[in-house]
């Protein structure tokens, strides 16, 4: 979905997964500072939107998701995952129930596969699943924002801000009164600062929830069975996920950021040292400078100096070993 806000002054289109919205509007650090101060908004209209209606919607989703949602109060936001039979992360959903409908936004382009899976699991339950991406756009307001929310718009209220499920036809009109726009790069910089994983960025085909710190926020440990629960329970009891997410402070003297997939090594092993991890997301932060998220082997010492490609990196614990 190509956003109409790409016609705003200074808009530079994003690339890759986030194609369709603006990477920035001419001043990345100003946009970051505005979001950090609780002003402006982020156009996330490229994200997929899926709804589930019907009287069994919460009980049914409770059987499929990693999160406890059978008694989810109306208006309470939550996150949930769908795992493979082996416990690997397949989908991440950002949910809210408005009393009649469960609304979820998901990574761009993943909604069709998600809906196909949900449809295959309906059986006798009274539920209807719909792809609302074509008519609903997601808009993010940062924490502390006092921007007006149009009447009737569904809102996900989180510690990081509010996600609005806005009619796509109203997107341009809302942008005109919501404050200065911030691009997806500013949003990503704050996401990295907040140590929040993102499907397809911090995950690969074998990622399990414990590695990313998704236990608690997206995985409930006291609920009934769901696909992949055996892996979650085993790792929780043994306490040994194979990898762990770390936050890296990168050497600011380097001109180029290490891109996603860049090998991470122990600094003491020299340039030919063995790979102990890889960069998942790297950004330039308006206060912290160049920083990144990375996945490293669980047994890497938490105080070990690292090297990402040719860039020195100091680690900060996100998931304890």
């Amino acid at each position: 979905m190509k956003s109409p806000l790409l016609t705003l002054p200074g808009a530079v289109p994003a690339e890759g997964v986030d194609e369709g919205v603006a990477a920035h509007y001419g001043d990345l650090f100003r946009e970051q500072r505005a979001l950090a101060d609780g002003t402006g908004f982020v156009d996330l209209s490229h994200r997929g939107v899926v709804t589930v209606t019907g009287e069994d919607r919460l009980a049914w989703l409770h059987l499929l998701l990693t999160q406890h949602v059978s008694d989810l109060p109306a208006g309470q936001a939550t996150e949930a995952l769908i795992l493979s039979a082996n416990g690997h992360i397949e989908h991440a959903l950002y949910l809210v129930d408005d009393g009649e409908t469960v609304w979820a936004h998901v990574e761009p382009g993943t909604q069709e596969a998600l809906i196909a899976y949900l449809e295959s699991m309906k059986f006798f339950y009274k539920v209807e699943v719909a792809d609302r991406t074509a008519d609903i756009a997601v808009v993010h307001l940062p924490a502390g924002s006092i921007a007006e929310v149009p009447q009737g718009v569904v809102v996900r209220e989180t510690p990081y801000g509010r996600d609005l499920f806005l009619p796509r036809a109203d997107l341009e009109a809302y942008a005109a009164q919501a404050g200065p726009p911030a691009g997806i790069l500013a949003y990503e910089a704050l996401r990295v600062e907040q140590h929040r994983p993102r499907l397809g960025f911090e995950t690969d085909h074998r990622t399990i929830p414990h590695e990313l710190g998704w236990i608690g926020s997206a995985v409930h440990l006291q609920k009934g069975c769901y696909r992949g629960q055996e892996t979650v329970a085993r790792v929780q009891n043994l306490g040994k996920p194979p990898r762990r997410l770390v936050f890296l402070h990168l050497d600011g003297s380097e001109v180029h950021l290490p891109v996603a997939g860049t090998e991470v090594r122990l600094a003491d092993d020299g340039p030919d040292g063995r790979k102990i991890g890889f960069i998942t997301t790297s950004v330039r932060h308006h206060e912290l400078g160049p920083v990144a998220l990375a996945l490293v082997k669980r047994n890497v010492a938490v105080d070990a100096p690292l090297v990402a490609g040719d860039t020195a990196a100091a680690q900060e614990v996100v998931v304890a070993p």
Side-chain angles (χ1 to χ4, degrees):
M1 303 294 295
K2 186 175 180 179
S3 173
L5 303 190
L6 286 172
T7 61
L8 292 178
V12 175
E15 299 178 347
V17 173
D18 290 320
E19 182 180 3
V21 295
H24 60 84
Y25 294 89
D27 191 336
L28 172 61
F29 290 156
R30 178 190 60 76
E31 294 165 29
Q32 284 186 37
R33 287 191 291 269
L35 293 180
D37 291 340
T39 60
F41 71 96
V42 184
D43 176 13
L44 299 179
S45 62
H46 62 316
R47 291 184 65 81
V49 176
V50 176
T51 59
V52 181
T53 56
E55 62 184 88
D56 294 337
R57 65 189 184 284
L58 291 176
W60 176 67
L61 286 171
H62 186 78
L63 299 173
L64 306 178
L65 304 180
T66 57
Q67 188 57 275
H68 196 301
V69 297
S70 60
D71 301 315
L72 185 67
Q76 180 175 308
T78 192
E79 301 175 12
L81 308 175
I82 290 178
L83 308 181
S84 72
N86 293 322
H88 301 139
I89 299 169
E90 292 189 343
H91 293 282
L93 296 81
Y94 300 84
L95 305 165
V96 67
D97 183 84
D98 67 3
E100 296 181 351
T101 301
V102 173
W103 296 78
H105 65 81
V106 298
E107 287 297 324
T110 66
Q111 65 270 20
E112 291 185 5
L114 171 61
I115 289 172
Y117 170 69
L118 293 177
E119 289 285 352
S120 74
M121 302 300 291
K122 286 173 64 172
F123 304 118
F124 56 84
Y125 289 93
K126 297 177 181 178
V127 294
E128 293 296 331
V129 181
D131 183 352
R132 301 294 303 277
T133 310
D135 62 298
I136 299 294
V138 179
V139 172
H140 175 77
L141 300 177
S145 171
I146 59 172
E148 182 180 352
V149 176
Q151 188 174 5
V153 168
V154 177
V155 178
R156 285 188 73 250
E157 186 84 40
T158 78
Y160 309 106
R162 288 175 288 173
D163 297 335
L164 279 54
F165 292 88
L166 186 75
R168 193 171 289 274
D170 298 342
L171 181 57
E172 286 185 276
Y174 184 74
Q177 57 89 37
I184 193 70
L185 291 182
Y187 180 84
E188 283 290 282
L190 299 189
R191 177 183 71 82
V192 170
E193 177 194 12
Q194 295 155 355
H195 305 169
R196 292 190 290 137
R198 182 178 174 188
L199 183 78
F201 287 64
E202 279 61 59
T203 69
D204 57 21
H205 66 284
R206 60 191 181 97
T207 305
I208 60 176
H210 288 79
E211 295 176 321
L212 304 183
W214 248 327
I215 302 299
S217 63
V219 179
H220 195 287
L221 296 174
Q222 306 301 321
K223 61 163 289 186
C225 293
Y226 54 88
R227 190 174 70 172
Q229 186 194 22
E230 294 83 358
T231 298
V232 171
R234 183 169 64 251
V235 174
Q236 181 68 19
N237 291 331
L238 295 177
K240 293 183 178 180
R243 304 175 296 184
R244 60 184 179 87
L245 187 68
V246 296
F247 180 75
L248 298 181
H249 295 269
L250 303 172
D251 180 0
S253 65
E254 294 291 336
V255 176
H256 300 290
L257 286 172
V259 299
T262 299
E263 290 189 359
V264 175
R265 308 182 308 279
L266 294 172
D268 294 343
D269 287 350
D272 298 322
R274 64 186 177 90
K275 175 183 176 181
I276 54 90
F278 59 93
I279 296 291
T280 59
T281 307
S282 60
V283 298
R284 296 191 185 278
H285 191 274
H286 69 288
E287 289 184 339
L288 301 176
V291 292
L293 293 174
L295 274 176
V296 301
K297 292 184 177 180
R298 177 184 56 83
N299 58 3
V300 172
V302 297
D303 58 351
L306 306 177
V307 176
D310 297 323
T311 303
Q315 60 173 312
E316 185 176 308
V317 175
V318 176
V319 175

